[in-house]
Amino acid sequence: MQAGNISEHFLLMRMNRQPTYCAICNKADGGFNYGASCCNSCKMFFRRAAQHPNFPTHCKNTNSCVGCRFCRYQRCLAAGMVWKDPTPVMRDITPTIKHLAKLDNHRQNVFLNYVAMDNLTLDELIESNSVNYTLKQHGVQLDVFNWATLKHTTSVVFMKNFDFVPLLDSEDLKVYVKQMYKPFMMFCTAMRCYTNRRECAEFPEGLDILPQQLTSQFINCPEVLLKVRCPIVNRLKELNIIYEEFLMVTAIFICNPVSSKLSPNGQTIISRSQKKYASILMQYCLIKYQNSGPSRFSDLLSLFDTINNTAKNLDNVLIQSFGTFQPKRQKVFDDMMKAVLE
């Protein structure tokens, strides 16, 4: 069964299922687990029993007792519970997570420890085979524009390292990067701040992600800037997201085939990758959260709306400050402003 079908099946089951009781102990159930309606206690018992190497093979009492482990296990089997070891599925999921973690660790390492040397336009950054960095000297403090340049370059390089990118032609590559790199930057920034228990998005050392010459335009309406700094971090807190989930959501989010500027071939290539990562995330959620897996999958994907809305809020801030906000030298900022105003 494909991930999409799994999702639909479980969501319909959750919507249509009437309140029931545990088929093993007759207490109020905790959901549909291992093929039967059962409470969390019986679910955990069945999982331990199915994996126990020396589990009892007969009843010590009358073969129909209430309290012994053997009879309880037999009631689980009679209710239709079936143990399926998640290890083989996780064996398929784990390499993907490790690969994404490797890409992201490299992105974070460069962002936190290096300084970008090249002053490239966005097109040049996309077309470049490499970006020149120098190791950041101890005690050197970067300003908001230095941090933002690092965020731009490391985000674009991360996106270009996905395995489907060599299959895209040069025009599709530009469309792919340009439509997603800014919201992706905002997502990464929010995740780092959420991990560090910050209240809002900021650069390292507590530096505001918005330059002072821009924020000074909104002294009388600070709530406008809060809509840029805080929503994604707040949503991550609500979801209590973990790093593995962040990686898979990132991959699905980046692989966005919805753009009229993409060629049909480009849409097909990117869509194929998005479906692959969505399937992996669904399998992960079903294994980790079991009957709550589909709802967790849906909750994680709800991040897309938060990220996109926050990116639109940033665009609105840039549009309102047009003419007064002049980015510092870096060409990539000029490109970003042009894209917002198009």
Side-chain angles (χ1 to χ4, degrees):
M1 183 180 291
Q2 296 298 313
N5 294 332
I6 291 174
S7 176
E8 182 180 1
H9 169 73
F10 274 89
L11 288 173
L12 288 174
M13 181 187 70
R14 287 169 60 84
M15 290 171 60
N16 298 328
R17 184 167 62 86
Q18 298 298 316
T20 57
Y21 293 89
C22 176
I24 292 85
C25 68
N26 209 35
K27 295 179 181 177
D29 80 342
F32 195 81
N33 303 289
Y34 303 120
S37 294
C38 66
C39 65
N40 286 328
S41 176
C42 288
K43 175 187 74 174
M44 298 301 293
F45 166 80
F46 178 74
R47 183 163 65 189
R48 290 193 300 268
Q51 299 178 85
H52 199 295
N54 298 311
F55 194 78
T57 57
H58 62 278
C59 176
K60 293 183 178 180
N61 300 309
T62 62
N63 283 327
S64 61
C65 70
V66 176
C68 96
R69 296 164 64 204
F70 174 80
C71 289
R72 186 182 183 186
Y73 184 58
Q74 295 306 307
R75 289 196 296 275
C76 291
L77 296 177
M81 297 183 78
V82 178
W83 168 250
K84 183 177 181 181
D85 187 356
T87 303
V89 179
M90 285 304 297
R91 196 177 293 126
D92 295 334
I93 296 173
T94 301
T96 299
I97 295 176
K98 285 185 176 180
H99 176 66
L100 292 173
K102 181 179 179 181
L103 295 180
D104 191 59
N105 288 335
H106 176 72
R107 178 191 64 79
Q108 292 189 66
N109 178 55
V110 174
F111 174 71
L112 293 173
N113 298 302
Y114 289 80
V115 178
M117 299 298 293
D118 298 326
N119 186 13
L120 303 175
T121 66
L122 184 54
D123 282 345
E124 290 170 341
L125 180 57
I126 294 171
E127 294 168 355
S128 175
N129 292 324
S130 62
V131 179
N132 293 318
Y133 299 99
T134 184
L135 189 64
K136 185 171 65 175
Q137 299 299 312
H138 179 71
V140 172
Q141 291 188 333
L142 305 184
D143 64 19
V144 62
F145 294 103
N146 294 134
W147 282 119
T149 299
L150 278 167
K151 181 61 70 175
H152 277 82
T153 57
T154 54
S155 297
V156 171
V157 170
F158 178 91
M159 293 178 67
K160 288 170 58 181
N161 279 329
F162 275 70
D163 55 7
F164 66 85
V165 167
L167 303 176
L168 299 175
D169 64 34
S170 59
E171 290 305 311
D172 280 339
L173 175 59
K174 289 179 181 179
V175 173
Y176 154 69
V177 171
K178 288 180 179 180
Q179 76 169 347
M180 296 309 302
Y181 85 100
K182 185 169 57 180
F184 169 56
M185 288 191 301
M186 301 179 76
F187 188 32
C188 291
T189 299
M191 183 64 186
R192 177 177 49 77
C193 295
Y194 158 77
T195 302
N196 293 332
R197 301 183 182 278
R198 301 294 186 180
E199 294 300 318
C200 291
E202 59 186 32
F203 285 132
E205 302 167 352
L207 190 65
D208 195 344
I209 58 170
L210 301 172
Q212 193 276 331
Q213 58 176 290
L214 190 154
T215 59
S216 63
Q217 308 298 315
F218 298 89
I219 293 177
N220 296 324
C221 45
E223 67 279 359
V224 173
L225 302 183
L226 290 177
K227 291 180 180 179
V228 175
R229 297 185 181 113
C230 300
I232 306 176
V233 177
N234 289 339
R235 185 59 179 146
L236 292 172
K237 289 180 181 178
E238 292 170 1
L239 292 172
N240 195 25
I241 195 170
I242 60 177
Y243 184 58
E244 291 176 338
E245 293 171 334
F246 162 74
L247 292 172
M248 289 180 280
V249 169
T250 292
I252 299 170
F253 182 68
I254 284 177
C255 299
N256 182 4
V258 183
S259 173
S260 59
K261 295 181 180 180
L262 282 170
S263 71
N265 185 55
Q267 290 178 340
T268 299
I269 292 170
I270 296 174
S271 177
R272 189 184 303 129
S273 290
Q274 187 181 63
K275 290 177 181 177
K276 177 186 75 172
Y277 290 116
S279 176
I280 290 172
L281 178 60
M282 172 57 82
Q283 293 178 61
Y284 175 91
C285 289
L286 289 174
I287 292 170
K288 186 172 181 64
Y289 301 103
Q290 296 190 33
N291 67 300
S292 298
S295 62
R296 180 61 175 178
F297 178 81
S298 178
D299 287 343
L300 290 172
L301 296 192
S302 72
L303 274 163
F304 295 177
D305 288 337
T306 305
I307 298 168
N308 287 325
N309 289 336
T310 305
K312 290 178 182 177
N313 291 338
L314 175 59
D315 287 348
N316 290 333
V317 167
L318 294 175
I319 290 171
Q320 292 180 55
S321 62
F322 178 69
T324 58
F325 171 53
Q326 297 181 349
K328 177 184 173 183
R329 292 190 302 278
Q330 283 88 343
K331 296 176 182 177
V332 71
F333 292 109
D334 293 331
D335 289 345
M336 184 177 70
M337 291 295 291
K338 290 176 184 176
V340 169
L341 296 170
E342 285 180 353

